[in-house]
Each structure stands twice: as structure tokens, then as C-alpha cells.
Amino acid sequence: MSIDLQILRNPFQSHQPKFHVKTESELQAERQAVRANLISNSNFTLISEVFEAIRSIRDPEHPYTLEQLDVFTESDIEIKQIGNKKNITVYWKPSMPQCTYTVHIGLAIRMKIEREVKDFDNMKVTILVKEGTHKHKKLIDKQLNDKERIAAAKENESLKDLLESLIS
């Protein structure tokens, strides 16, 4: 039986993730490059609108936005026209594979899109964790896209307060 002596010495030690926080100049350069590739996409305006709505969401554990933490870029947003509805899919990656706030962040993404994207009633939104970026991806995707679970989350007062703090 192997025991991690480091944990025994300090069982309350935080296991902070190591991540690169992008500077504003890095973010601007990345946005310009992505937009240059998307400009030929007929849904470029809607992709930009969705990205602008969600890029300022704050991470609940770190003093940075999701954009700064490289959680998603404009190229992670897909728009497909199906009948009279536009299907918006946002692919994103949690800041670490065992992130405990993944569902909260996903709900915040959904709330911002619902509030800020024009003509939302004619759209279907799907929020998906990128493959291989979280150990509970399938469960989280199911929670974030189930109408009943979303409705229940919107009625939970303490959860609403947390989500408001992330998006305001």
C-alpha cells in the first residue's frame, strides 16, 4: 500500500491548476485570427454575437473571465439552420479536468445566450464540454441540455445568485 506523504503533511493543501491566463493583446490577436477564418461563414454575425455575450463570464474559482482562461473561442461556436430554427452549439473546456463548477459555468453560458442574443426564441442552444476535458463529460452534457433540469436550476435561489455573480 502506497501513501502519498505530501498529502499527509498538509491534507488541506490546495491543488491549484496550472494554467496560462491570456493577456488582452493575446486575446485580441486570437480574435482577429479566428474572425478572419470565420468571415466566409454565413453565420459570422450570430457567432460573434454569441461569443460577445459569453466571453465576459467569470470563473467562480479564479479572478479571470472564461475567455482569459481559454475556455472557448469563437471557433468553438457552431450554428446550423434546421427548418426555421438556428441550432447554436457551444463547445467549451473547463479550466481543469475535475472542475467542480462545470455545471454552473455551463448554466451561466446558457443564461447569457438567452439574455443577450437577439431572436433567441427561434434558436435551440446546446452546451457541450469538449471531448477529453472533463472526467464527467457525458453526465455534465446531459445536465446542461435537459429542459427539466435547466428549469429546476432556474428556480433554485442560491444557484441563481451564484450564476448572477458569474455573468454580471
Side-chain angles (χ1 to χ4, degrees):
M1 182 162 126
S2 173
I3 298 175
D4 186 347
L5 296 177
Q6 189 66 16
I7 291 174
L8 287 177
R9 282 189 212 116
N10 188 354
F12 302 107
Q13 179 179 358
S14 174
H15 297 286
Q16 291 297 318
K18 293 179 181 161
F19 51 82
H20 170 73
V21 177
K22 292 184 177 182
T23 65
E24 189 57 37
S25 61
E26 288 174 315
L27 294 172
Q28 286 177 356
E30 184 177 278
R31 274 186 239 127
Q32 287 175 343
V34 168
R35 287 180 179 163
N37 288 334
L38 290 175
I39 204 77
S40 63
N41 187 326
S42 62
N43 292 310
F44 173 71
T45 304
L46 182 54
I47 289 170
S48 294
E49 185 179 355
V50 170
F51 180 74
E52 287 301 315
I54 63 177
R55 72 186 198 91
S56 62
I57 297 170
R58 286 188 296 285
D59 185 280
E61 296 181 294
H62 309 289
Y64 304 108
T65 66
L66 298 184
E67 181 188 24
Q68 288 173 309
L69 293 173
D70 198 27
V71 168
F72 52 75
T73 66
E74 283 174 301
S75 60
D76 295 322
I77 301 167
E78 289 182 357
I79 312 286
K80 292 182 182 169
Q81 184 78 36
I82 299 181
N84 292 336
K85 284 201 173 223
K86 289 199 182 241
N87 287 359
I88 301 172
T89 304
V90 177
Y91 296 94
W92 66 288
K93 62 181 178 199
S95 57
M96 52 189 192
Q98 69 279 9
C99 177
T100 56
Y101 285 99
T102 306
V103 171
H104 302 90
I105 294 168
L107 288 170
I109 292 170
R110 178 176 296 284
M111 280 180 66
K112 283 286 273 191
I113 293 171
E114 286 178 9
R115 287 183 182 179
E116 296 185 16
V117 174
K118 298 175 200 147
D119 203 25
F120 176 78
D121 294 335
N122 292 323
M123 299 177 192
K124 178 183 182 240
V125 176
T126 305
I127 311 294
L128 298 173
V129 173
K130 286 182 182 179
E131 200 65 49
T133 61
H134 197 282
K135 62 183 181 178
H136 300 295
K137 176 200 174 355
K138 289 181 182 178
L139 179 64
I140 292 164
D141 288 348
K142 184 175 181 176
Q143 288 179 326
L144 293 176
N145 296 292
D146 181 276
K147 289 180 183 180
E148 290 177 14
R149 291 180 188 199
I150 294 167
K154 288 179 179 179
E155 293 175 12
N156 181 319
E157 287 301 320
S158 61
L159 181 56
K160 281 196 311 192
D161 290 343
L162 172 64
L163 295 175
E164 288 297 333
S165 74
L166 301 179
I167 65 176
S168 56

